[in-house]
Amino acid sequence: NQKIAGRSLSILFVVVVLGAPFVVKPLTWLGNSANGESASNVLQNIGSLGSRLIIWNFVVQKIEKKPYLGWGMNASRNLPEANIKQSFFKGKQLVHREFNIPLHPHNQALQIWFELGFIGACIVSLFGGVVIWRFSAQVYRPHLLPVMYAFIVSILIFDLLSFGIWQNWWLATQFFSLTLLLLMGETKEPKSE
């Protein structure tokens, strides 16, 4: 049922945004074992995921220091420790090197927590959850709901693994795509004979 799928997606969105630091923290053990032989072996084999784990480990540590209000807008660009590079060696060979935060955390849920804290995460998660819930209430054309859900899931995957939340071009792309999708919903459905 499309309504159940939409409401489940709405609840999942709220849970993902509010739970991000708690889910990601156990996954970032790699960032805690800097210069360790086991970390170097893992980093050598997982490529960009290793970079994400280093970044996310740093971000989660900073979230724990200011959990309620966060560090402020665009703090990831201004935090002095963000420019420090983590180096991982296997013996004397450098296997991987990455900034604590290169421009942004590469995970929008963590970036919301990091910059806006728990209060910001609540506002964003509730706003997004309500918007998705409204779509599931079939306010728009029911035949477009599967496309809308696919759009939301696609955006969320990129949001949780790649782009920063305040990147203008990414925000514009999302709003432009959403506008086109909503305009498609305004067209008349073909009459059944």
Side-chain angles (χ1 to χ4, degrees), residues 8-25:
S8 299
L9 185 58
S10 171
I11 293 166
L12 181 64
F13 178 82
V14 172
V15 169
V16 165
V17 173
L18 290 180
F22 310 105
V23 172
V24 170
K25 185 177 180 175

Side-chain angles (χ1 to χ4, degrees), residues 11-174:
I11 293 166
L12 181 64
F13 178 82
V14 172
V15 169
V16 165
V17 173
L18 290 180
F22 310 105
V23 172
V24 170
K25 185 177 180 175
L27 302 176
T28 61
W29 62 270
L30 191 58
N32 287 323
S33 53
N35 298 314
E37 188 77 19
S38 63
S40 298
N41 289 335
V42 173
L43 283 168
Q44 197 168 14
N45 297 320
I46 61 176
S48 65
L49 179 59
S51 299
R52 299 292 191 271
L53 293 174
I54 292 168
I55 296 164
W56 295 346
N57 176 61
F58 178 77
V59 170
V60 168
Q61 289 176 6
K62 294 301 178 187
I63 288 169
E64 290 173 344
K65 290 183 179 177
K66 290 190 176 185
Y68 301 110
L69 296 175
W71 290 83
M73 293 286 287
N74 288 320
S76 54
R77 293 176 184 245
N78 301 322
L79 214 58
E81 299 92 357
N83 296 328
I84 297 171
K85 284 191 174 184
Q86 296 292 327
S87 300
F88 293 82
F89 294 88
K90 187 174 184 179
K92 292 186 177 183
Q93 180 187 4
L94 179 66
V95 173
H96 190 85
R97 192 166 196 201
E98 184 59 84
F99 286 108
N100 281 331
I101 301 182
L103 299 180
H104 55 79
H106 292 79
N107 181 314
Q108 290 186 14
L110 287 180
Q111 188 171 357
I112 291 165
W113 271 90
F114 176 64
E115 295 183 0
L116 306 176
F118 174 71
I119 294 171
C122 286
I123 292 168
V124 169
S125 66
L126 291 176
F127 175 77
V130 167
V131 168
I132 297 168
W133 191 279
R134 292 285 294 155
F135 285 120
S136 71
Q138 299 187 6
V139 173
Y140 302 96
R141 303 278 183 185
H143 68 282
L144 280 179
L145 285 177
V147 178
M148 182 63 73
Y149 298 154
F151 169 76
I152 292 167
V153 169
S154 300
I155 292 293
L156 287 177
I157 289 170
F158 281 104
D159 288 351
L160 295 174
L161 294 174
S162 198
F163 305 129
I165 196 167
W166 313 125
Q167 289 179 286
N168 296 338
W169 66 271
W170 180 235
L171 287 170
T173 301
Q174 292 175 75

